[in-house]
Amino acid sequence: MIYKMESVNHKQVINFTPELLARISELIGHYPSDKRKSALLPVLHEVQDAHDNWLSIELMDKVAEIIGIKPVEVYEVVSFYTMFNRKPIGKYMFEFCMTSPCCLRGAEDMLEYTCDKLGIQKGETTPDGNFTVVGVECLGACGYAPMLQLGDSYQEHLTKEKIDQLITDCKDNKISLH
């Protein structure tokens, strides 16, 4: 099997501050010295948070170096989990649940409506850098379908009217992402 990592033409400032390096060291320290790779997920979260919420190949290579694993081991993890971004994303990322319960209740239609409303395709970011729309795996809120995650909050029982209001609230800076 040939493994190919998505390559993007985005430059990223790589900044491993003393604070970030200390946090990474702390996370790695939670695991036995021969199991440093176990710290990969929390380390990637910290690095992504410190770098505009996305991970360039150079950042992933640096994480591999710090943990002491092969870069491909980092690429495999980053490309598998939807919570890691391999290209810059908008300030507001609409993550639509695309599993069966949400799709049966109209998630695909809501995602398409949102993309049309914003003038982008699934996986794209608006030219102003404010919005990204993606489909993700189960968010664990099947009883509230269709739904999406926006920052740390769930937006449930979606309708076109709710999508319109979310977009307006984001544009008016009324949505807190944390």
Side-chain angles (χ1 to χ4, degrees), residues 92 94 113-118 131 133 150 160-173 175:
Y92 300 102
F94 287 25
Y113 176 79
T114 304
C115 286
D116 289 346
K117 191 87 173 161
L118 296 171
F131 297 95
V133 178
L150 178 59
K160 290 178 180 180
E161 294 76 23
K162 286 184 179 182
I163 296 291
D164 291 343
Q165 189 61 56
L166 274 174
I167 292 170
T168 298
D169 288 348
C170 289
K171 287 179 178 178
D172 292 342
N173 291 312
I175 299 286

Side-chain angles (χ1 to χ4, degrees), residues 123-149:
E124 292 182 345
T125 300
T126 56
D128 63 6
N130 277 331
F131 297 95
T132 300
V133 178
V134 296
V136 298
E137 292 302 315
C138 186
L139 292 169
C142 303
Y144 308 106
M147 58 86 59
L148 66 82
Q149 184 171 351

Side-chain angles (χ1 to χ4, degrees), residues 13 20-21 26 31 56 87 99 105-106 135 138 145 147 152:
V13 175
L20 178 58
L21 289 170
E26 175 190 341
Y31 302 93
S56 64
K87 60 184 179 182
T99 50
R105 303 278 317 266
C138 186
M147 58 86 59
D152 290 339

Side-chain angles (χ1 to χ4, degrees), residues 97-107 138 141-143 145-146:
C97 180
M98 290 284 102
T99 50
S100 297
C102 280
C103 287
L104 287 170
R105 303 278 317 266
C138 186
C142 303

Side-chain angles (χ1 to χ4, degrees), residues 11-79:
K11 293 293 178 195
Q12 184 174 44
V13 175
I14 297 175
N15 187 14
F16 280 79
T17 64
E19 295 80 16
L20 178 58
L21 289 170
R23 179 68 179 135
I24 291 170
S25 181
E26 175 190 341
L27 291 167
I28 292 171
H30 290 224
Y31 302 93
S33 59
D34 63 333
K35 304 287 184 208
R36 291 171 58 95
K37 184 178 177 181
S38 299
L40 183 56
L41 288 175
V43 167
L44 285 170
H45 280 294
E46 290 292 328
V47 171
Q48 180 170 268
D49 289 348
H51 290 89
D52 296 323
N53 206 23
W54 73 285
L55 298 165
S56 64
I57 290 175
E58 294 80 14
L59 273 177
M60 291 184 268
D61 290 347
K62 183 68 174 173
V63 167
E65 177 188 320
I66 290 170
I67 293 180
I69 59 177
K70 295 176 183 169
V72 72
E73 294 176 272
V74 178
Y75 305 160
E76 290 168 341
V77 168
V78 170
S79 65

